[in-house]
Structures are given as C-alpha cells and as structure tokens.
Amino acid sequence: MPLSHDHIRTTVETYLARHPHEREQLGVLLDALKRPTDIASRTTFTGHVTCGAIVLDPLGRVLHVLHLASGKALAPGGHAEPSDESLAGTALRELHEETGIPPQEVTPWPGYETMPFDIDIHDIDTNPGKGEPDHRHFDLRFLFRLHATNEVEVRLQEEEVGGIEWRPVDRAASPSLREKLRKLPLQVEPETTNASALIYNDRGEYLLHLRDYFPGEIWEPGMWSLLGGGREPQDATLGPV
C-alpha cells in the first residue's frame, strides 16, 4: 500500500512542531502537500518525497555513500516504493539496498523513531536516459544508531553506489545535517523505550496478560497489563514489522 498523503503531511507537521523556524524554507513542500497529487510517487515531477538514513556508528561517524549518478557522497536513501508502509521504513529499505546493512543492525535514535531528523529540499537535473525532467526532491532524513562495535560488513548496490565512507560529524556532506548533528549528544546511550499492543474485539473488550510475579525483576509483578515490553537491539521499529 503506497504511503498516504496524510502520513506524509502528519510527519512533516510533527517535524515543524520541533523546528518551527524552518516552516518558511519548507514552504515549497507544504504547498505540494496541499495539492491532490501523489507526492510519494517518483513520477510526480512538481516535486516528490525521498527518504534518507542518517546512520551514526559507535564512534560518532556518519555513513555516506558515493552515488554514481550524481558523483556525490550522500546519506543512503531514495524513492518510496508501493510496498513501503512508513517513511522511516523507506529509509531503512534504502539503507539495506544500497549498503547491505540490514534494518536489525540499527536502532532509531530516541525521539526520532517516526519523525525526521532533518528535511532538505534540493533540485534534481534532467535525466534524458530515464525520461525525467528537472524536478525537486523533498528529502526526509531519519536518524539511526549502528549497533556494531566492529567494522560492519557492507554489500554495495553496484549499479548505483560506488563506495561508502564514515565521516566525522564536522565533515557531513549536508550543511543542515551537519548543524543538527553538532548539537546532538553523541556519547549518550539511547534510553530504554517500551511499546505495547492495544488489541480489542467488536464487543469493546481489550486483551490483557498477567505479568509474572517476580518482584525486582518484572515491572508491576502480578498485575494485568497490555501486551508489550522493552525495545531490544535487533528491533528496527517500535511498531509491527
């Protein structure tokens, strides 16, 4: 099911609630969201959404890939596909396709599980080979932390990617991204995050489970509770996968 217009608009407005000073510079994107066109489709040449994965390793370095089409070192990312269920999911899929890094090897940065860390608007030149006129990309960039403490194994998407590079924050290719990363407490470990499943039937009855009675080990021992628990390192999202 393609990404919905409402999902994209809600995501952008949530971002602007944290960065209200960027509303004016994102005016072109906001105008595009007022139109009935499919802003997630790469054939909407009045401008369409792309998604990027900003990945930080344990040393605080930022992952860049060499995009062969542009000749530039950029964050992994690309266009949405009809099978993508969320914008963050698009970023994770593109990360995997371009570098071979699977979603379970990264964790969303706390506070940015569903909200972009940065939004950038940039122009794309005409591509006669693909029959594409010049257009704009509305690039929503999501922030992730890499689990691995050793050098991660990569498998490049050879037709699109010429190599990878881990850069210090001060050498991040995007100026807006560089500015935000400098303000990020890179040495702070992600906080524990919990998620619960709210399941109910057509009679309005909710599914609960009885927690084990292990005081000091189980939170709220012996109590009825929603199904759920803490996020583990291999979990790529808080929602269903």
Side-chain angles (χ1 to χ4, degrees):
M1 181 178 181
L3 298 176
S4 74
H5 205 81
D6 285 343
H7 172 54
I8 298 171
R9 181 171 55 245
T10 299
T11 301
V12 172
E13 287 295 344
T14 302
Y15 173 84
L16 287 173
R18 185 173 293 187
H19 303 284
H21 60 285
E22 295 187 23
R23 182 170 290 274
E24 182 176 353
Q25 70 189 56
L26 296 181
V28 178
L29 170 56
L30 295 174
D31 289 343
L33 286 167
K34 295 176 183 177
R35 295 192 289 267
T37 52
D38 183 3
I39 197 173
S41 171
R42 68 184 302 160
T43 61
T44 301
F45 295 117
T46 52
H48 54 254
V49 164
T50 57
C51 296
I54 310 304
V55 181
L56 294 174
D57 73 0
L59 299 178
R61 300 176 302 176
V62 190
L63 177 62
H64 289 70
V65 298
L66 176 61
H67 276 277
L68 297 177
S70 66
K72 298 178 180 179
L74 304 169
H79 295 89
E81 299 288 350
S83 58
D84 293 335
E85 297 183 354
S86 70
L87 293 161
T90 298
L92 285 171
R93 176 184 53 74
E94 287 288 338
L95 172 67
H96 186 210
E97 288 179 0
E98 292 188 350
T99 70
I101 298 175
Q104 61 267 26
E105 289 298 325
V106 299
T107 300
W109 197 275
Y112 294 95
E113 289 86 354
T114 59
M115 188 182 79
F117 182 68
D118 185 50
I119 298 180
D120 181 67
I121 299 175
H122 50 267
D123 296 326
I124 302 298
D125 294 333
T126 301
N127 187 333
K130 293 185 177 181
E132 296 178 348
D134 60 307
H135 58 280
R136 285 193 177 100
H137 279 178
F138 307 126
D139 195 28
L140 280 62
R141 301 159 169 178
F142 293 84
L143 183 62
F144 302 94
R145 180 190 292 266
L146 183 71
H147 297 314
T149 55
N150 299 318
E151 192 73 21
V152 65
E153 181 180 355
V154 298
R155 298 187 307 278
L156 300 181
Q157 188 177 27
E158 294 181 355
E159 63 272 23
E160 294 189 17
V161 177
I164 72 162
E165 183 180 357
W166 291 94
R167 294 187 175 186
V169 164
D170 287 342
R171 291 185 53 233
S174 164
S176 63
L177 182 61
R178 197 160 57 232
E179 180 181 351
K180 289 186 175 77
L181 287 172
R182 283 172 176 158
K183 299 175 182 177
L184 199 66
L186 299 179
Q187 301 306 317
V188 176
E189 289 299 318
E191 299 175 359
T192 300
T193 303
N194 297 323
S196 298
L198 189 62
I199 302 173
Y200 59 93
N201 60 23
D202 55 7
R203 297 190 299 273
E205 299 170 332
Y206 290 82
L207 179 63
L208 303 175
H209 80 289
L210 184 62
R211 293 184 176 275
D212 292 328
Y213 190 76
F214 296 127
E217 298 181 32
I218 299 294
W219 181 60
E220 292 186 333
M223 299 292 291
W224 290 97
S225 174
L226 294 172
L227 285 78
R231 184 178 63 200
E232 296 187 359
Q234 68 271 19
D235 294 334
T237 68
L238 293 176
V241 295

